[in-house]
Amino acid sequence: MSKSISLVLGSGGARGYAHIGVIKALEEAGYDIKGVAGCSMGAMIGGFYAAGKLDVFEQWARSLTYLECLKLVDISLLSDGAIRGDKVFKILDDMLEGVEIQNLSIPYTAVATDLTNQKEVWFNSGPVERAIRASCAIPSLILPVVMDNRVLVDGGVLNPLPIAASVSVHADAIFAVDLSAEVPMPGGKVEQSESEIASKKEEKNEWFSNFAQKAISIFDRKDKPTEEALDANLGKLGVMYEMFETMQASLTQYKIAGYRPDLLVKIPSHSATIYEFYRADEQIELGYMIAQRALEAYERGEANTYGQL
């Protein structure tokens, strides 16, 4: 069986840490990744892998705590976007050392969305950090990237699983990782209990509340908005986040139907919320575990039945 693959990494916020575990499982099984295409968090992990610096990123990601994630949040005017992202992307650029896509050892494509012309943009050259930043700019949550008279936002707006971007890679098979799969956690129940759902909502409300308090604290006294105004804006952001997640999950199914990969690794959509970037350890382990199971089935010549009842 061929071990030469083109890898497609989907979007899904903090669930994207699972991509690291998937790559670990692929390498352990002897697969040769000839090229990688990614969207949003998939573009980030794919970019670090192609640059040969995934271990550096993993070490940093595993070190992040809940409070450290909050400290990295830099507030902009809430009407334009909640997070500028300058702090995070400065750290990422330092780790990448300014490497450019055309100088990577394997083909790499990051997918963003051009709002000005309403189409996908595939980054195949230029700084890796800039491509990642454009691909990760979630509308209403992270400020867009303005480049060449275009407004670029998260590739998940049009293509959360960019399988088509990997077709040109000279490999024998295409493997894709879906972060929005409606499948149960390994060894768990198909559905979450009411208490688990309530707990997740409470945790989400706590995060947005802390986010609001941080926003209030950084404004000058004369410009400080009321807590009620911030809560209203952050409530809207929460709704936008839910809408974006729902839209991505639906679009992913269309992309899979149009360009069916040879192997689809399915990460449960409820394994983490989009902003839980302090949960790297468990998401990496989850990706590794699910990928191992999927690869075992693939190598037996069977379909990956994980999550199918």
Side-chain angles (χ1 to χ4, degrees):
M1 178 175 292
S2 172
K3 295 282 190 175
S4 168
I5 65 165
S6 177
L7 184 61
V8 184
L9 305 177
S11 64
R15 291 192 300 276
Y17 286 140
H19 291 319
I20 299 175
V22 172
I23 290 172
K24 286 177 179 289
L26 288 169
E27 290 182 332
E28 283 188 11
Y31 284 89
D32 182 13
I33 301 173
K34 293 291 189 180
V36 59
C39 173
S40 196
M41 193 64 173
M44 185 179 296
I45 302 300
F48 272 88
Y49 176 77
K53 297 181 180 294
L54 188 56
D55 57 339
V56 178
F57 176 87
E58 180 184 351
Q59 183 178 4
W60 173 73
R62 287 183 182 272
S63 72
L64 292 176
T65 65
Y66 179 86
L67 290 177
E68 285 167 341
C69 286
L70 280 178
K71 290 177 183 177
L72 290 172
V73 174
D74 43 2
I75 309 299
S76 179
L77 296 175
L78 292 177
S79 59
D80 294 327
I83 304 170
R84 289 195 303 270
D86 293 346
K87 292 181 181 179
V88 172
F89 287 105
K90 175 62 169 63
I91 293 172
L92 298 180
D93 193 33
D94 287 344
M95 286 190 282
L96 287 165
E97 299 179 318
V99 65
E100 301 212 343
I101 296 173
Q102 62 270 23
N103 296 326
L104 297 174
S105 59
I106 62 172
Y108 163 73
T109 303
V111 178
T113 299
D114 176 2
L115 291 183
T116 306
N117 299 297
Q118 301 179 353
K119 64 180 184 180
E120 292 179 31
V121 174
W122 292 6
F123 282 87
N124 299 119
S125 62
V128 174
E129 182 272 338
R130 183 176 65 185
I132 292 173
R133 186 164 189 156
S135 187
C136 290
I138 302 172
S140 295
L141 287 176
I142 300 176
L143 286 175
V145 172
V146 179
M147 192 177 83
D148 299 329
N149 296 318
R150 297 177 299 177
V151 177
L152 305 178
V153 298
D154 197 303
V157 171
L158 291 177
N159 194 351
L161 191 64
I163 301 171
S166 69
V167 173
S168 62
V169 174
H170 297 295
D172 297 310
I174 296 175
F175 288 3
V177 185
D178 175 13
L179 299 179
S180 302
E182 291 301 319
V183 295
M185 294 289 286
K189 295 167 287 186
V190 175
E191 297 181 355
Q192 293 175 285
S193 67
E194 291 184 5
S195 62
E196 288 172 327
I197 294 173
S199 176
K200 280 291 182 184
K201 287 183 178 179
E202 183 178 348
E203 188 175 337
K204 184 186 300 183
N205 291 335
E206 179 186 358
W207 192 91
F208 277 112
S209 176
N210 287 335
F211 185 90
Q213 292 301 321
K214 180 174 175 62
I216 291 171
S217 69
I218 67 167
F219 282 97
D220 295 332
R221 294 184 62 86
K222 59 184 177 61
D223 296 326
K224 188 175 292 185
T226 65
E227 187 169 350
E228 291 77 13
L230 273 172
D231 283 341
N233 277 324
L234 290 169
K236 293 175 184 176
L237 290 175
V239 171
M240 288 296 297
Y241 149 73
E242 297 288 356
M243 290 173 59
F244 190 67
E245 285 272 84
T246 302
M247 178 191 71
Q248 282 196 125
S250 179
L251 279 173
T252 296
Q253 297 310 307
Y254 283 109
K255 296 301 179 181
I256 293 170
Y259 295 92
R260 185 162 294 278
D262 296 282
L263 176 64
L264 181 65
V265 179
K266 306 168 188 175
I267 306 299
S269 62
H270 58 277
S271 61
T273 51
I274 200 169
Y275 50 79
E276 293 179 310
F277 289 101
Y278 47 89
R279 295 178 59 187
D281 287 347
E282 58 192 275
Q283 288 301 120
I284 292 171
E285 180 60 29
L286 178 66
Y288 178 78
M289 185 189 317
I290 291 175
Q292 276 191 320
R293 184 183 301 187
L295 289 171
E296 287 170 2
Y298 177 76
E299 291 179 354
R300 290 194 303 266
E302 302 172 3
N304 176 22
T305 57
Y306 171 70
Q308 304 302 316
L309 301 178

